[in-house]
Structures are given as structure tokens and as C-alpha cells.
Amino acid sequence: MNNSHSKNIKVLSTYCDPILRLTPVMMLTLFEEIADEHAMELDIDAPTLRKRDKAYWVVRQVRLELNDVIRDHDDITVKTWPAEANGFRCGRSYQIFNQNQNQNQNEPAVKAFAEWVLIDSETKKIRPANSIKNPDIQYIKEKAVETPLRRFKNIFTEDDFVYERIVRPCEIDVSHHTNNVKYCAMLLDSFSVKELEEMTIKELEIYYEAESHEGETLRIYRKATGNGWQFMIKRDDSVVTMAFIGI
């Protein structure tokens, strides 16, 4: 079995912000796409798991480290590989290489690590990773990101509330809950266009605590924390997502 997967992509303006930088939302979208492609190769993709194992994958936490700016019309290579499952947790690494860089083309412009868990499609509870048919591959022990994942704490008050929004049908994915990438857009929507244009994001980390669904109202909170901002997204009194953006 192929233990890694990569593909070459031309960055389009539709992937970019108003000043033509590849957005974090699009980075996460590319990671989601390439993970799905690799899962198909390994016979553990969403349709197969639902039919064969009555299960599906969800991202529990993801961390991105942005080392260089990727721009419109850059030629990039996106790469991913999985780590061996450990109990209930599975790890997957990602990298984006910018082929248009004049120097350090062997260094990733973006690197990321995500922790995935397996959900039973009937009970909606987390299942052990070994409860499905595992592919026979040689796992790569190296992780794209060595920084440990954060342990988030609820540090927010109502003074940190920014805005609220309703989950719309086009934000729902194959698992019938809000797609994980959509939460990144919600975080960034707490800023103005001018603020985003003046910002150079160096790190982004999102922890997914619970699902949200069509028609539910989400409340977005933001608090400045030295070198960035911490975020919380709530539904009623329940935390759905916590996150950090560092600059």
C-alpha cells in the first residue's frame, strides 16, 4: 500500500484572499481533499466505511504552521501521510511545497497535523481505530508538525462575543454535520477585510468539541492573547469549537 499521497496544483485566484494570498480556509480544503483521495487508495474512504463498517471519520483537532506566503498562480505540491492508529486516535500529516520559491524549495511553505477519530454511524460514539479493516501499509513515523496540540481552556465572557450565525444547508457535509473547514471561515469572519489584509497568520489550530447541524445558531467569541487570538464557538450553552490564530 502507498503510505503517502501527493499532487500538484496551480493556485487560482478563487483560492485566495483580496490581496491574492492562499487562504487558511483553502489550505484546510486542500488537506481535506487529499486526505479523501488517499483514503480511497487505502480503502477507508467515507462511502466504503459507511457501507462496510458503519462508521465515518471526523477531524478532532488540526494544527497548521505557515512558514511562507503562497500566492495566486503559484505551483504547489500538497502531500499527506497517516500515522499508525493509537487506540481511539489517528494522526495524519500534511505539507504544502511552493515550487515557485527561489530558495528553500525543499522546505514546506505550510505544514500541518490533524488528529482524526472514528465515529459509529449508528450510535454517534467514538470507536477504536482497529474496529475497521486496516490497510496493510508501512506507516511513516515522522510528523509534519512536532509542536504538541494545544489543550484549550474556556477563558471567555460575554464581553468577548463577536457575532452569531445560522448553519446553512451548503455547510453540511456527507456526515450531515457542519463541515470542519466551515468553522475556520467563521473564525476569520470575526475580522474585517482590512484587518485580514494587514494580518500575516503564522499558526492556526482548531479543536472540534461537538457537532453542529443545519438551522442551529452558533455564537462566535474572540479574545486577544498576546501573539494572536483565541476563539470559541458555542451552540446554546455547549462549546462546539475552540481555536487559536497566531501572528
Side-chain angles (χ1 to χ4, degrees), residues 1 39-57 118 120-122 127 129-135:
M1 284 286 191
M40 290 176 65
E41 289 185 0
L42 300 176
D43 201 31
I44 53 172
D45 56 283
T48 299
L49 284 185
R50 282 189 175 276
K51 182 178 179 180
R52 185 187 65 202
D53 301 293
K54 293 183 173 57
Y56 59 91
W57 295 109
L118 191 68
D120 190 284
S121 58
E122 295 180 344
R127 283 171 46 175
N130 63 5
S131 67
I132 63 171
K133 180 182 178 182
N134 290 311

Side-chain angles (χ1 to χ4, degrees), residues 106-153:
N106 293 325
E107 293 296 321
V110 180
K111 52 187 180 180
F113 180 80
E115 186 178 272
W116 293 69
V117 293
L118 191 68
I119 303 295
D120 190 284
S121 58
E122 295 180 344
T123 66
K124 303 299 182 182
K125 294 182 179 180
I126 297 176
R127 283 171 46 175
N130 63 5
S131 67
I132 63 171
K133 180 182 178 182
N134 290 311
D136 182 20
I137 67 173
Q138 296 296 315
Y139 288 100
I140 299 174
K141 293 184 179 180
E142 177 190 1
K143 293 172 61 176
V145 173
E146 295 298 334
T147 306
L149 296 175
R150 290 173 177 267
R151 293 190 175 184
F152 287 96
K153 294 182 179 180

Side-chain angles (χ1 to χ4, degrees), residues 43 53 61 72 74 101 106 156 167 201-202 217 220 238 245:
D43 201 31
D53 301 293
Q61 191 161 348
D72 179 35
D74 280 349
Q101 288 178 329
N106 293 325
F156 299 91
V167 178
I201 296 174
K202 297 295 186 181
T217 298
I220 291 81
S238 300
I245 289 178

Side-chain angles (χ1 to χ4, degrees), residues 150-164:
R150 290 173 177 267
R151 293 190 175 184
F152 287 96
K153 294 182 179 180
N154 187 345
I155 60 173
F156 299 91
T157 69
E158 284 303 311
D159 291 337
D160 303 312
F161 171 75
V162 183
Y163 76 104
E164 67 178 26

Side-chain angles (χ1 to χ4, degrees), residues 169-217:
C170 289
E171 297 173 312
I172 303 301
D173 63 17
V174 67
S175 300
H176 283 84
H177 60 215
T178 307
N179 181 269
N180 66 287
V181 175
K182 305 301 181 182
Y183 294 107
C184 181
M186 295 179 200
L187 306 178
L188 296 175
D189 279 343
S190 69
F191 299 100
S192 68
V193 172
K194 185 175 186 295
E195 287 173 323
L196 289 173
E197 289 180 347
E198 293 175 349
M199 187 187 305
T200 300
I201 296 174
K202 297 295 186 181
E203 57 180 307
L204 167 67
E205 190 164 345
I206 307 177
Y207 171 69
Y208 304 96
E209 173 69 24
E211 298 179 349
S212 64
H213 304 91
E214 177 188 358
E216 294 181 339
T217 298

